[in-house]
Amino acid sequence: MIELEGVPELIDPVMVAAFEGWNDAGDAASTAVAHLEREWKGEVFAALDAEDYYDFQVNRPTVFMDGGVRKITWPTTRLSVVRVGGDKPRDLVLVRGIEPSMRWRSFCNELLGFAHELGVELVVILGALLGDTPHTRPVPVSGVTSDPDLARRMDLEETKYEGPTGIVGVLQEACTHAGVPAVSLWAAVPHYVSQPPNPKATLALLNRLEDLLDLRIPQGELPEDARAWQVGVDQLAAEDSEVAEYVQTLEEARDTAELPEASGEAIAREFERYLRRRDVGPPGGKPRPPAAGGVPKDEDEDNPDD
């Protein structure tokens, strides 16, 4: 039995999870949940027992000094809770950790036990994968679920994937079998620039999460970091003619395949996001006006993921 004496009664809670490792290309997903914890000052209320799920020769503990005292941090998965304010406040249960080394079914059952005790209404699992996508274009983010009804209601894809899977896929199926609505959001990271961090992919996941949950997520320094990341990759690509040619090929393929999307649904979603930000307004400031031509802008710079 899981007892959560220190956690208050939650409002319309949604669990948002991400795991470092195989499902986290460019650290995009785990960084997204870390961003939510940092911006909303999440308070950790539970941690899974590292002895049960991790091989310490694969994920080693780290030693640090705290006031002159040596301490050890063990690799594990931690849960925190944040409250999102506004006209309709709600709570997010944030799950961030490392893909477990063993006992995946027990791991998922323990997380579902927390979800049940907290009254979680929806589980959203963030992931990132390597793909044939150019770094110069908006990051593709797909939303998938195993629930046909949920797919229709939330405009998601019903997953048809077959093949090797990670903890994201296992947890999603565990949620389905337990009767808990679950969604996975996947960002595609360019395979030719896969090393972390990838703030552009992180920002894309957070934007998609905003749309899914109809809330506003403070972006902090992510837009600036994403612009700097893209400029840096542009410079690296320009120094290698083969890479530059390959990126151009990916751009042409992407533009041809997604021209209808770029001119329709994507613009509509971005305008809805702008309206949501205008209504709420940035923390401590005034709502931002649209750019010339009615296209939303974030301060004075284009968001590289828009």
Side-chain angles (χ1 to χ4, degrees), residues 53 99-109 165-167 170:
Y53 304 115
E99 183 177 65
S101 306
M102 51 196 147
R103 302 185 183 91
W104 284 20
R105 285 176 290 188
S106 298
F107 180 87
C108 292
N109 288 337
T165 190
I167 194 62
V170 173

Side-chain angles (χ1 to χ4, degrees), residues 28 68 108 254 256:
C108 292
R254 172 76 178 275
T256 300

Side-chain angles (χ1 to χ4, degrees), residues 223-305:
E224 181 179 349
D225 292 343
R227 284 188 286 270
W229 176 87
Q230 181 163 320
V231 169
V233 179
D234 285 342
Q235 293 172 347
L236 291 174
E239 295 171 359
D240 189 320
S241 59
E242 292 185 2
V243 172
E245 183 178 350
Y246 179 65
V247 171
Q248 184 178 359
T249 300
L250 292 177
E251 290 173 340
E252 292 172 353
R254 172 76 178 275
D255 294 345
T256 300
E258 298 193 357
L259 184 59
E261 169 74 5
S263 62
E265 295 181 6
I267 293 176
R269 283 198 300 268
E270 177 55 33
F271 191 63
E272 289 174 359
R273 186 181 298 120
Y274 157 70
L275 291 176
R276 180 165 56 242
R277 290 185 174 279
R278 184 193 66 179
D279 291 340
V280 177
K286 297 180 180 179
R288 301 184 181 99
V295 179
K297 295 186 75 174
D298 195 5
E299 297 189 358
D300 294 328
E301 297 286 340
D302 290 330
N303 187 325
D305 192 48

Side-chain angles (χ1 to χ4, degrees), residues 34-222:
H35 177 86
L36 297 177
E37 288 180 329
R38 182 172 58 255
E39 292 294 325
W40 280 321
K41 298 177 174 59
E43 296 184 5
V44 174
F45 65 86
L48 277 60
D49 190 340
E51 293 277 352
D52 292 338
Y53 304 115
Y54 294 99
D55 180 347
F56 298 139
Q57 290 182 325
V58 176
N59 297 291
R60 293 185 178 273
T62 57
V63 179
F64 68 100
M65 300 297 294
D66 181 13
V69 179
R70 289 170 60 85
K71 294 185 177 180
I72 293 179
T73 298
W74 296 92
T76 188
T77 294
R78 294 177 172 82
L79 290 82
S80 61
V81 63
V82 299
R83 175 151 296 176
V84 182
D87 295 335
K88 296 181 180 179
R90 76 180 314 167
D91 293 302
L92 299 183
V93 179
L94 304 179
V95 179
R96 182 163 65 100
I98 304 169
E99 183 177 65
S101 306
M102 51 196 147
R103 302 185 183 91
W104 284 20
R105 285 176 290 188
S106 298
F107 180 87
C108 292
N109 288 337
E110 188 165 355
L111 288 180
L112 285 171
F114 282 108
H116 174 72
E117 288 295 318
L118 294 168
V120 167
E121 301 176 347
L122 174 70
V123 174
V124 182
I125 315 167
L126 306 183
L129 47 80
L130 300 179
D132 293 328
T133 181
H135 72 279
T136 54
R137 296 294 184 267
V139 176
V141 178
S142 57
V144 298
T145 180
S146 300
D147 186 333
D149 294 333
L150 195 63
R152 286 191 293 270
R153 285 191 287 110
M154 304 189 78
D155 191 25
L156 302 167
E157 299 176 28
E158 188 177 351
T159 181
K160 303 295 184 184
Y161 172 76
E162 295 179 317
T165 190
I167 194 62
V168 170
V170 173
L171 179 56
Q172 180 163 346
E173 288 307 300
C175 290
T176 299
H177 291 305
V180 179
V183 174
S184 295
L185 301 181
W186 289 93
V189 172
H191 66 83
Y192 58 89
V193 57
S194 59
Q195 64 271 24
N198 189 319
K200 186 174 181 179
T202 294
L203 185 59
L205 280 170
L206 292 174
N207 284 341
R208 187 69 174 86
L209 185 65
E210 275 192 333
D211 296 340
L212 185 74
L213 302 182
D214 191 24
L215 52 81
R216 185 210 167 182
I217 297 173
Q219 295 185 342
E221 298 179 356
L222 269 177

